Amino acid sequence: AQKITQTQPGMFVQEKEAVTLDCTYDTSDPSYGLFWYKQPSSGEMIFLIYQGSYDQQNATEGRYSLNFQKARKSANLVISASQLGDSAMYFCAMREGRYGNKLVFGAGTILRVKS
Amino acid sequence: NAGVTQTPKFRILKIGQSMTLQCTQDMNHNYMYWYRQDPGMGLKLIYYSVGAGITDKGEVPNGYNVSRSTTEDFPLRLELAAPSQTSVYFCASSPTAGELFFGEGSRLTVL
């Protein structure tokens, strides 16, 4: 069964606007962690943000925030004030269990920022 | 601050050849992983290890082998290379829980 689903293969956003990248997940474990990674065209994987299942508040890191809706099993990434350098592939990933030993990735969303 | 180091960065193999992708990390992380990424796709877990001497299969282990004799090293062995193994391979490490730290990737082409 698909553990992580990213339904948007590609997205466009105007520079300086906000954009939301969708991610839904499937797990029966009450303890899990959700991650977002960025992969620019150069290919490296860059960690952006983390949300634990027991965290009371939505995670934020600079212009990145995670809209965590536990009941809906969604963990959408919000990028505020988009920049041209945000153009990249974005992956949502999940680690199950308190000390889960595997990180499972979604298929990714390609974001293109227009000037 | 080396982090996770993968070698080689690029390699072309002929069908049936074998090779080893090397991965070393200097962060004393317990967990190490090998993923493959096909063009335009997400990352698929090949093998992982939770500590020296312990390895386990991921989603797509067929055609690969790994070993973990030390905390630092986690080599990936391709036996009898096939065109379907053309991909970009990423090694990663993490503390017991938390984010993965990735290497720069190794681009493998099998012709």
Side-chain angles (χ1 to χ4, degrees), chain B:
Chain B
N1 54 343
V4 179
T5 303
Q6 292 181 232
T7 57
K9 288 186 170 43
F10 301 93
R11 181 74 186 266
I12 298 175
L13 281 181
K14 293 182 179 179
I15 294 172
Q17 287 185 321
S18 300
M19 74 160 296
T20 299
L21 296 175
Q22 302 291 344
C23 177
T24 298
Q25 55 97 1
D26 61 0
M27 297 173 282
N28 201 34
H29 287 166
N30 288 323
Y31 291 1
M32 294 189 74
Y33 308 82
W34 275 105
Y35 287 89
R36 60 175 286 173
Q37 184 181 27
D38 297 332
M41 305 292 284
L43 279 72
K44 297 290 187 185
L45 182 62
I46 305 171
Y47 271 96
Y48 66 100
S49 167
V50 299
I54 306 170
T55 62
D56 208 346
K57 297 177 180 178
E59 304 165 86
V60 290
N62 292 344
Y64 307 94
N65 278 299
V66 293
S67 60
R68 184 94 182 271
S69 56
T70 66
T71 299
E72 296 78 19
D73 300 309
F74 191 42
L76 178 71
R77 177 84 177 160
L78 281 73
E79 303 282 0
L80 299 174
S84 62
Q85 293 177 303
T86 294
S87 191
V88 178
Y89 291 83
F90 286 98
C91 179
S93 72
S94 73
T96 305
E99 78 203 66
L100 265 61
F101 294 80
F102 282 87
E104 294 182 338
S106 299
R107 186 176 297 274
L108 175 67
T109 302
V110 182
L111 300 174

Side-chain angles (χ1 to χ4, degrees), chain A residues 2 35 37 39 42-47 50 89 91 95 98-108, chain B residues 31 33 35 37 40-43 45 48 50 57 59 90 94-104:
Chain A
Q2 190 81 359
F35 303 77
Y37 281 84
Q39 186 178 43
S42 51
E44 72 267 34
M45 295 289 288
I46 302 168
F47 167 73
Y50 166 79
M89 178 77 97
F91 292 103
R95 186 194 290 272
R98 183 173 179 82
Y99 299 107
N101 50 24
K102 292 185 289 186
L103 204 63
V104 178
F105 285 80
Chain B
Y31 291 1
Y33 308 82
Y35 287 89
Q37 184 181 27
M41 305 292 284
L43 279 72
L45 182 62
Y48 66 100
V50 299
K57 297 177 180 178
E59 304 165 86
F90 286 98
S94 73
T96 305
E99 78 203 66
L100 265 61
F101 294 80
F102 282 87
E104 294 182 338

Side-chain angles (χ1 to χ4, degrees), chain A residues 1-5 23-29 31-37 50-51 53 73 75 91-97 100-106, chain B residues 35 98 100:
Chain A
Q2 190 81 359
K3 292 282 189 178
I4 295 285
T5 302
C23 173
T24 58
Y25 59 92
D26 181 27
T27 181
S28 57
D29 196 317
S31 178
Y32 53 89
L34 297 156
F35 303 77
W36 277 91
Y37 281 84
Y50 166 79
Q51 179 85 43
S53 59
K73 293 188 175 180
F91 292 103
C92 180
M94 179 176 67
R95 186 194 290 272
E96 292 179 288
N101 50 24
K102 292 185 289 186
L103 204 63
V104 178
F105 285 80
Chain B
Y35 287 89
L100 265 61

Side-chain angles (χ1 to χ4, degrees), chain A residues 5 9 13 16 18 41 46-47 55 60 63-64 68 77 82 85 88-89 102 104 106 109-110 112 114:
Chain A
T5 302
V13 65
K16 300 181 184 177
S41 57
I46 302 168
F47 167 73
D55 292 344
T60 61
R63 293 187 299 111
Y64 304 108
F68 182 45
L77 177 70
S82 296
M89 178 77 97
K102 292 185 289 186
V104 178
T109 296
I110 298 174
R112 290 288 177 253
K114 300 184 291 185

Side-chain angles (χ1 to χ4, degrees), chain A residues 17-22 36 48-49 58-69 75-82 86 90 111:
Chain A
E17 292 186 350
V19 63
T20 298
L21 306 183
D22 294 342
W36 277 91
L48 295 178
I49 196 167
N58 287 346
T60 61
E61 288 287 348
R63 293 187 299 111
Y64 304 108
S65 61
L66 202 152
N67 184 2
F68 182 45
Q69 299 187 45
N76 299 338
L77 177 70
V78 180
I79 305 175
S80 62
S82 296
D86 294 334
Y90 289 82
L111 177 67

